[in-house]
Amino acid sequence: MSTTPPPPGPRPAEVVQAEIRALMQETGGWLWGPTRARYEQLRDEWVAAMRGEVAAAA
């Protein structure tokens, strides 16, 4: 798991989703402590990205 902060600005939902999948694969699906926090951060970023993409498409 990378400890570097994400780059500024929104990332596309598919990029965030790929990072979530990689995290889940690395941890075998077990999320706790810093790994859980990272997952929650990515999940929130993914939701925001999806909302932005839906709004842009409308």
Side-chain angles (χ1 to χ4, degrees):
M1 179 173 84
S2 175
T3 58
T4 58
R11 297 187 295 166
E14 62 268 6
V15 171
V16 179
Q17 184 178 29
E19 195 169 333
I20 291 171
R21 287 181 181 185
L23 177 66
M24 294 299 288
Q25 188 172 28
E26 290 171 14
T27 63
W30 292 97
L31 301 172
W32 60 81
T35 305
R36 178 71 181 192
R38 180 66 181 144
Y39 167 77
E40 291 173 357
Q41 177 186 23
L42 289 168
R43 180 201 59 209
D44 294 346
E45 183 181 354
W46 179 81
V47 168
M50 288 299 294
R51 285 184 182 146
E53 290 176 13
V54 169

